[in-house]
Each structure stands twice: as C-alpha cells, then as structure tokens.
Amino acid sequence: MLHHNELQPQMSWQLPTFNTVPTQQVLNDFYLREIAEPWDFKRAPRNDEYITIHRLEHQWNQYEEGRADCANLPSTAAEFLIWYQTLHQEHRREVAPFFEYLAERSSLAELNFYIAMEEQVDGRFDDVIALAQLGMSGDMKMALAENFWDEMGLGQLNEMHTLLFKDSAQRLQAFSALPETVVEAPFEALKNGNILLMYALRRQYHPRLLGALTILEHTAPYRFSRTVKAMRRLGVPEQAIYYHHMHVKIDANHGKQLLNRVIVPLIEASPAALEEICRGCLIRYNIAADYYRSIAQRLNFPASLAQ
C-alpha cells in the first residue's frame, strides 16, 4: 500500500511542478483529508490551506487544458455524440497495445504489479460517484444513483465493489506467491486518481467530472475483459477474477447510461456546459494514456508500449 504523509498545517514548500510524485502525493493527501471518515474530522483541511492547493490545482488544470485538443469541438448534442464516438475509438486504439500484451503475454508478476497499482490509485471511486450526483434532479440523478447503487453491491455488504477489488488484489497476491513490496506509484498513476477527486470536490469542474466519468466507464469493459483473459491464461482462481469479470458488463451499462441519460440531457439543457464536458473527456483520455505508458515503462514492457 502507498504510505501517505499528512499535509502539515504550515506549508512552507515552494510550488513544484505538478508532474512529480511529491506534488501529486500532496494533492492526494489533501483530497483524502477532505473526504476522510466521520471520526477523522479533526484532520479536515483548514481554510488557509486551500489557498496553496487551489493555486496548484489551477496550474495543473492550465497544463491539462493546454495539451487537450480543443479544436473543432462539437456545438450540439448530436455533434457531440459523433465527436465522442470518435474519441472513444481513438482511446481504444491508444491503449490496445498495452492491454493486448497484458492479456496475451504478461507474466504473473507483471499482472500482479498492474492490479496492485490499480488498487493503489483507485481514487475512492464510490465517493466520486456519490459527489457527482450533487445538484442533479430527475432522471439524471437516477442514472448516477443506479451507478452508485451498483458500487454499493446492490445493498449487499460483501458485494461492495471497493471490498471486492481489495479481496481480488489480495487473492492474486497470495496466488502469485510473490513477496509483497511497497512500490511508489509514478506521478502518472497518482494523477489518474487525483483528477477525478479534484473534479468531484471542486464544483466548478462538475461538467468535466461527468465527461471524464463517461469515457472512463465507457472504455472500462475492454480493459476489464483483457485483465480477465490474462488472469485465466495464468490460472488465477475464479474468486480473484470475479470482480474484474462482473465489470465487463456493469461498466458497459454505466457508460451507456451516463452518455444517454446524463451527458446528452445536460448539453440540451445547458449548451454552455458542452465545452467543459469535452474538456473532461479529453483530459481523462490523456491522463489515462500517460498512466498506462508509465506502467509499461516500470515493467520494461516492449518499447512500443512505453512510448
């Protein structure tokens, strides 16, 4: 597991670049303090701490906006659907070499590392979905509520997705019989979780969050299917595969519902939100691609997968 150092009340450090482990760790620590357990309320950030964090977030967002291709963005819901499908297909092609290698050629140690990294940067996804519902009404809220209820295991404690994921990772670790090591996640991996937490916690980024969640959920079934294939090829017990297998179908539905019941109605109700939704899709695309490349580099995958 990653070890998070508590952000000290008096922050005297100079603002470093956001593309470093220390900076992304500071952000992650801060976000986890914002959504800490109820009994941990004394660690909640103080008002004066937000000044530095907001400055850092602004710099990070400017960077991500600058490398997002916002030329020729759609202007209507109908145009958005065409634009989005193209982006979805490009995302699939971008990550396919990594996941095909994982499915067909990865070793048990490589698979174990990937799953351990996924567990570490999960980003409190159920809390992100809960926060995404704030301010919504009608069917849009119902769509997110159904997504959240799935995350809650449809009311069954032992089926909660966070618990299932942790159990899957533990079972894989035990099956692999490899020594458990504490691995420092690369900054690309920390960004992968932090971007969702930031967008969920800062209300001005609500449309970006919805765009990011849509492409995340819509592209997840392919990733999970490749992970399942790798696990079965390597003889991993079905109990460890269960979580990943169930998400092939669940996330396909989540992506579809987010697109049709949240994104399109939001665009139709507020055309001003359209550009922000697109930015969320594009920024999530870039950060996810960086994340998978960083894993390929750490595992010394073939050079073509780590470029």
Side-chain angles (χ1 to χ4, degrees):
M1 297 293 294
L2 289 176
H3 299 293
H4 301 291
N5 297 319
E6 181 177 349
L7 189 64
Q8 296 302 315
Q10 299 298 325
M11 294 183 293
S12 60
W13 44 272
Q14 297 296 315
L15 284 178
T17 175
F18 30 80
N19 281 340
T20 65
V21 168
T23 302
Q24 288 297 324
Q25 192 68 71
V26 163
L27 287 172
N28 191 254
D29 292 341
F30 193 86
Y31 298 148
L32 294 182
R33 288 171 62 204
E34 288 189 274
I35 56 173
E37 291 83 353
W39 52 83
D40 211 12
F41 64 94
K42 291 185 178 180
R43 291 184 64 242
R46 301 188 326 271
N47 288 341
D48 62 306
E49 294 181 69
Y50 280 93
I51 297 173
T52 301
I53 294 298
H54 285 168
R55 186 184 304 124
L56 183 55
E57 290 173 343
H58 178 68
Q59 292 174 344
W60 182 19
N61 273 286
Q62 283 188 314
Y63 168 77
E64 298 300 343
E65 291 166 7
R67 68 187 190 124
D69 183 6
C70 292
N72 302 315
L73 291 181
S75 58
T76 66
E79 290 178 2
F80 172 82
L81 289 174
I82 297 172
W83 177 89
Y84 174 82
Q85 291 301 329
T86 299
L87 186 68
H88 181 280
Q89 293 166 6
E90 290 176 353
H91 187 283
R92 170 72 170 267
R93 287 193 295 269
E94 177 84 25
V95 303
F98 174 89
F99 283 98
E100 291 306 317
Y101 178 93
L102 190 75
E104 304 291 348
R105 298 165 54 193
S106 64
S107 67
L108 186 57
E110 290 170 334
L111 175 65
N112 190 57
F113 180 92
Y114 167 68
I115 296 299
M117 192 67 65
E118 285 282 284
E119 183 188 17
Q120 290 180 10
V121 302
D122 179 61
R124 298 285 291 270
F125 192 71
D126 51 359
D127 287 336
V128 169
I129 295 297
L131 288 166
Q133 301 173 66
L134 297 181
M136 290 184 174
S137 60
D139 189 58
M140 291 174 66
K141 193 157 195 168
M142 286 296 294
L144 266 298
E146 291 166 12
N147 190 321
F148 181 72
W149 194 233
D150 282 340
E151 294 292 326
M152 293 297 100
L154 301 178
Q156 300 297 315
L157 180 61
N158 62 349
E159 290 288 308
M160 282 181 63
H161 290 188
T162 53
L163 298 181
L164 288 177
F165 192 10
K166 183 177 181 179
D167 178 72
S168 174
Q170 291 174 342
R171 288 179 183 275
L172 179 60
Q173 176 68 40
F175 173 75
S176 68
L178 296 168
E180 188 170 359
T181 57
V182 177
V183 179
E184 182 184 75
F187 74 84
E188 295 93 342
L190 293 171
K191 286 174 68 174
N192 197 54
N194 282 346
I195 195 71
L196 296 180
L197 287 169
M198 177 174 60
Y199 286 172
L201 289 163
R202 309 291 175 250
R203 300 306 293 167
Q204 68 266 34
Y205 297 126
H206 197 180
R208 292 191 188 189
L209 172 65
L210 298 175
L213 284 175
T214 300
I215 195 164
L216 183 157
E217 298 260 35
H218 218 172
T219 57
Y222 168 70
R223 300 192 296 274
F224 278 113
S225 71
R226 300 298 86 192
T227 304
V228 168
K229 186 169 184 178
M231 288 179 155
R232 289 189 169 143
R233 173 177 58 80
L234 293 165
V236 175
E238 285 296 319
Q239 298 97 316
I241 299 175
Y242 174 65
Y243 166 85
H244 303 274
H245 182 262
M246 72 186 297
H247 276 74
V248 175
K249 182 177 181 179
I250 287 175
D251 281 350
N253 182 58
H254 288 172
K256 179 180 178 181
Q257 299 305 319
L258 280 166
L259 184 63
N260 295 326
R261 296 171 61 191
V262 177
I263 296 297
V264 170
L266 176 57
I267 294 171
E268 292 174 341
S270 175
L274 176 53
E275 183 175 344
E276 285 294 287
I277 292 169
C278 292
R279 288 185 189 277
C281 292
L282 290 167
I283 290 171
R284 162 62 194 180
Y285 176 118
N286 288 334
I287 287 178
D290 290 345
Y291 167 48
Y292 297 125
R293 279 193 293 269
S294 75
I295 297 178
Q297 291 168 352
R298 292 289 292 271
L299 293 176
N300 295 316
F301 278 12
S304 61
L305 304 184
Q307 294 176 351

